[in-house]
Amino acid sequence: QVQLVESGGGLVQAGGSLRISCAASGRTFSAMAWFRQAPGKEREFAAVIRWSGGSTYYADSVKGRFTISGDNAQNTAYLQMNSLKPEDTAVYYCAASNMRPSYSGRYYYPWLYDYWGQGTQVTVSS
């Protein structure tokens, strides 16, 4: 049984930092990503890491402030979030994909990801 479990969310002041984690079990994946969903908004892509080669990609809204990393052997992904803003407030979801190594399209499609965690709340106060 595949499970993705997020942890590390919480309340932080604007300008602060937070690191959230995702532990996957049940199988290995070719990529892991973070999405987020703010109240009243659609779920949006934040970052992805592809285990083959370690390449990373970010949404423009988080580029330069967030860093995705992970351990392929441990099937764990992290999202280090710095310079947080109130608009970063959202439920953050971990997602895992079996995308082929040859995949070269966009990463922000939710359908690209086969498994999802339950989410962890991140709240940034002004």
Side-chain angles (χ1 to χ4, degrees), residues 5 19-25 32 34 49 51 69-78 94:
V5 179
R19 188 177 87 153
I20 54 179
S21 303
C22 174
S25 61
M32 292 180 73
W34 289 96
I49 183 167
W51 296 129
S69 63
D71 185 331
N72 189 11
Q74 297 295 324
N75 235 4
T76 302
Y78 307 97
C94 177

Side-chain angles (χ1 to χ4, degrees), residues 41-90:
K41 295 188 176 182
E42 292 187 354
R43 191 171 299 189
E44 64 172 5
F45 168 81
V48 64
I49 183 167
R50 298 187 69 166
W51 296 129
S52 178
S55 55
T56 57
Y57 301 90
Y58 299 91
D60 288 342
S61 58
V62 307
K63 195 175 297 183
R65 300 187 298 122
F66 291 11
T67 302
I68 188 170
S69 63
D71 185 331
N72 189 11
Q74 297 295 324
N75 235 4
T76 302
Y78 307 97
L79 188 67
Q80 176 67 43
M81 303 180 288
N82 299 329
S83 302
L84 283 161
K85 306 174 182 179
E87 50 263 44
D88 293 318
T89 295

Side-chain angles (χ1 to χ4, degrees), residues 101-121:
S102 59
Y103 181 79
S104 59
R106 304 288 187 180
Y107 294 100
Y108 50 64
Y109 300 115
W111 54 257
L112 190 57
Y113 301 88
D114 304 281
Y115 301 96
W116 294 82
Q118 293 300 307
T120 185
Q121 176 70 46

